[in-house]
Amino acid sequence: MASSLTKGSADSSTEKTFFGHPRGLATLFMTEMWERFSYYGMRALLVYYLVSGGADAATGSQGGGLAMTAATTTAIYSVYVSMVYLMAMPGGWFGDRVWGARKTVAIAGFVIIAGHISLAVPGQAMFFVGLILVAAGSGLLKANISTMVGHLYDGPEDPRRDGGFTLFYIGINLGAFVAPFVVGTVGKEHNWHMGFALAAVGMALGLAQFLLGTKHLSPKSSLVPNPLSPEERKAVLTKVALAAVGIAVFYGAVVALGAYTLNWALVPLTLAGLFIPVAVLARIKRDKDLSGTEQSKMTAYIFFFVAAAVFWMIYDQGGSTLSLFADDKTADTVFGLGFSATWYQSLNPLFVMTLAPVFAWLWLWLARKNQEPNTIVKFAMGLVLVGASFFVFIVPMNMAGDGTMVSPMWLVSIYMIQTIGELCLSPVGLSVTTKMAPQKYASQMMGVWFLAVTAGDCITSLLSIAKVDLNGTWIIGFEALAAVVAGLAVYAYRKKVQALMGTVH
């Protein structure tokens, strides 16, 4: 797709464009595509590597993983995903106040490559170092690369802007779609560390594309919008140093006493992932500078935030709970052709690319008939659908109770229902975040929206740490019921929430 550059026809200029968009979009498209390739490729391997033990002599399957329990695996996976989204907030801060968006993305690329290389080195210590680096790098990149897409256009009124972000979104899903077939298959079926190394190669290709094409980006991407003063920089460095020393001393003492277990890392991260979103929302809500209208909108926004957290709690188990079921209890052949369980992770991006245009057309068609559901109803639909997907999940779980390997079509159906729910909730969530953001926090609210993912995944992690069997029928049913009830509650209180939203529809 990146090679499809055409001559600009808007004027007599010979400057090349990318499907009629600024050429810099090709650079960002390819950078994000390869970054998502590396991220989702590694994610497709993660739970399988964690639960894998010794090689199975009967089947010839590889071992060499970390041989952890399903509960610990789910907790680690959930904490990892939550930290990626949590790091988007400091990532945006670095772009705004320290390095500028362009330099931050370049540094992020190197950090992500280092993370995947660490994962490619055998051993538990290097594995966790790799996870930390990938999470930090992904947060730095995620918060700034979309900003640079916006810099390519002449403000919000540029008619090409929405189309540019649509192309960019295709790049995200294209990388996510291909990765499980390549990284997932090589890693799971042949060699874990070769798979992680392929993820590093993917990010290296993305970084090379970025560095070679950086001349096509907007000069605004190199600017630091609100640089730290020398006094602020010194204060930040002092706080970071003190925090680092305090953490090092605390964990050094725990290790010296022989008391360290993995939960000493998982529990604080999980609690932080729950506390920080609450603290951020409370700080904004209590700000006396907000007008009465802004206060009202923030009250309504908290409804959406909690609903989104419930949604992501279930949705992101597609890479943990559903992945474990796919490997253990789902047939791995279709029409006599075998496939890797990692391939299921390609279903969501495939469905997004296929169904997103359909939903865009559907909302416009309903709008012309004055029948388009409003944001609140779409949110309710998303919650009910993600809950329904887990009600469907109970059926193959019961079928597999006697050792039967169920049809892959059960998981295909579940992922499709969840994707339809995502298309109802996620795009309107992004939109309503920008519309309801108080003016004072306009640039920070997108990071606040991502914190809903952090909160949802940390709830999953907390349940796993508490030894709740997330692969049990009763907990799957409970989560499904919670989502459906939350969706119905949002719908029942839609008039009250709409009143709080004021003119936002």
Side-chain angles (χ1 to χ4, degrees), residues 76-427:
I76 292 172
Y77 175 87
S78 300
V79 166
Y80 166 69
V81 174
S82 71
M83 290 301 109
V84 168
Y85 286 91
L86 181 63
M87 291 301 293
M89 287 199 76
W93 182 86
F94 272 98
D96 285 343
R97 309 216 61 190
V98 183
W99 294 322
R102 187 182 303 189
K103 186 175 180 180
T104 303
V105 167
I107 291 171
F110 284 109
V111 173
I112 293 169
I113 292 170
H116 288 303
I117 291 173
S118 298
L119 291 169
V121 177
Q124 185 168 308
M126 291 303 292
F127 173 79
F128 286 109
V129 168
L131 281 190
I132 291 168
L133 290 172
V134 174
S138 297
L140 287 170
L141 187 142
K142 189 178 190 69
N144 290 282
I145 195 164
S146 296
T147 300
M148 289 196 290
V149 174
H151 288 163
L152 296 172
Y153 300 96
D154 297 326
E157 304 307 318
D158 190 321
R160 302 172 299 167
R161 186 183 178 94
D162 286 351
F165 273 99
T166 299
L167 279 174
F168 182 69
Y169 194 58
I170 290 172
I172 293 173
N173 284 283
L174 195 57
F177 171 71
V178 174
F181 292 111
V182 181
V183 178
T185 302
V186 170
K188 185 176 186 301
E189 308 303 330
H190 301 286
N191 184 285
W192 299 115
H193 302 291
M194 189 179 295
F196 292 132
L198 278 176
V201 171
M203 187 64 248
L205 290 171
L207 180 60
Q209 171 74 29
F210 181 77
L211 296 175
L212 290 172
T214 191
K215 60 182 178 291
H216 300 300
L217 302 177
S218 168
K220 284 189 283 187
S221 297
S222 297
L223 300 177
V224 182
N226 182 25
L228 291 171
S229 67
E231 294 78 15
E232 288 175 317
R233 186 180 294 269
K234 182 179 179 180
V236 169
L237 289 173
T238 300
K239 289 177 182 177
V240 170
L242 289 173
V245 170
I247 292 170
V249 169
F250 176 79
Y251 280 101
V254 172
V255 171
L257 292 170
Y260 182 80
T261 64
L262 191 56
N263 279 350
W264 278 97
L266 291 177
V267 172
L269 287 173
T270 298
L271 294 177
L274 292 171
F275 172 76
I276 291 173
V278 172
V280 169
L281 286 171
R283 178 173 63 85
I284 296 174
K285 186 71 178 69
R286 294 171 61 186
D287 192 331
K288 292 182 169 56
D289 290 340
L290 268 57
S291 68
T293 300
E294 289 177 325
Q295 285 281 2
S296 178
K297 288 180 180 178
M298 278 305 301
T299 300
Y301 186 75
I302 291 171
F303 277 88
F304 291 113
F305 186 93
V306 172
V310 173
F311 178 89
W312 297 117
M313 175 187 70
I314 294 177
Y315 180 89
D316 275 346
Q317 288 184 58
S320 54
T321 306
L322 289 177
S323 287
L324 293 172
F325 185 86
D327 196 40
D328 295 337
K329 299 178 180 179
T330 306
D332 59 359
T333 58
V334 174
F335 303 121
L337 300 174
F339 61 93
S340 172
T342 61
W343 290 16
Y344 287 105
Q345 298 307 306
S346 291
L347 289 172
N348 172 254
L350 173 64
F351 288 142
V352 168
M353 289 188 289
T354 304
L355 297 176
V358 176
F359 271 75
W361 170 84
L362 176 64
W363 299 142
L364 286 173
W365 181 72
L366 289 172
R368 285 195 293 268
K369 298 167 68 71
N370 201 30
Q371 294 177 351
E372 182 187 7
N374 64 22
T375 297
I376 304 169
V377 175
K378 289 177 182 177
F379 249 75
M381 290 167 60
L383 281 164
V384 170
L385 283 165
V386 81
S389 76
F390 263 27
F391 276 127
V392 173
F393 187 26
I394 291 173
V395 178
M397 289 183 78
N398 285 327
M399 292 171 62
D402 60 358
T404 300
M405 301 298 278
V406 303
S407 167
M409 293 310 296
W410 282 107
L411 288 180
V412 172
S413 301
I414 292 166
Y415 281 113
M416 185 171 71
I417 295 168
Q418 291 187 349
T419 302
I420 294 172
E422 177 192 6
L423 291 171
C424 289
L425 182 141
S426 186

